Amino acid sequence: MKREKPLSSAQKTILRSIYTLALEGQEATIEGLSLLLVGKYVPETEPYRDSKLFGYLSSISGKKIKGRIHQLIREGYVKLIYDHKLDAQFVTLSEKCLSLSLNSLEKKTLSRKQVVLFRRKGK
């Protein structure tokens, strides 16, 4: 019997981002979720610039995020829901995710270390 590999931190973040969107009453396509997580500024992402998700995985390329989403689909954590009116597929969490106890994403706080280049002599 084949044992499943544990989820990577990026995969968990993707699942948490889908969960966060669901809590906000939103759903995204694979492309839309990728654009949000990368933090790509396009007209479609403009309303989401203040979202907790925007730029959350900016260190990973959109192509890799999409690949991880497809992997989560293959492993049964995520499923696609087709909307006939919009002619688009939206990602949603499957029943398999219920056992993961997901929590919503929180906005990353970037703390920058103050760069010290000079000081007064004698202090």
Side-chain angles (χ1 to χ4, degrees):
M1 184 169 165
K2 187 177 177 183
R3 196 179 80 159
E4 286 189 28
K5 294 190 303 185
L7 294 171
S8 69
S9 62
Q11 287 174 318
K12 288 177 188 174
T13 299
I14 290 168
L15 292 175
R16 289 178 62 207
S17 66
I18 297 168
Y19 178 72
T20 302
L21 279 176
L23 290 177
E24 296 172 353
Q26 300 283 329
E27 290 181 318
T29 62
I30 293 173
E31 180 69 24
L33 185 59
S34 171
L35 290 172
L36 276 180
L37 290 171
V38 168
K40 180 98 174 178
Y41 293 104
V42 294
E44 293 81 6
T45 62
E46 186 65 34
Y48 299 94
R49 285 182 68 177
D50 294 328
S51 169
K52 299 172 188 175
L53 280 63
F54 198 81
Y56 203 90
L57 289 177
S58 58
S59 61
I60 301 176
S61 73
K63 184 176 180 179
K64 286 185 179 183
I65 289 173
K66 289 179 206 172
R68 287 185 172 104
I69 294 170
H70 284 290
Q71 186 178 15
L72 289 167
I73 292 168
R74 283 191 304 274
E75 293 176 5
Y77 290 100
V78 173
K79 58 185 178 178
L80 294 172
I81 304 294
Y82 181 71
D83 185 321
H84 292 282
K85 290 180 184 176
L86 298 174
D87 190 29
Q89 290 183 329
F90 295 89
V91 292
T92 186
L93 298 177
S94 71
E95 294 74 28
K96 186 175 183 178
C97 282
L98 296 176
S99 64
L100 296 179
S101 304
L102 296 174
N103 52 3
S104 64
L105 288 178
E106 296 300 321
K107 189 78 169 172
K108 281 186 178 178
T109 54
L110 299 175
S111 59
R112 292 187 176 208
K113 184 178 176 186
Q114 183 179 359
V115 178
V116 178
L117 299 176
F118 304 97
R119 74 176 188 147
R120 286 205 178 270
K121 192 173 180 178
K123 289 200 175 193

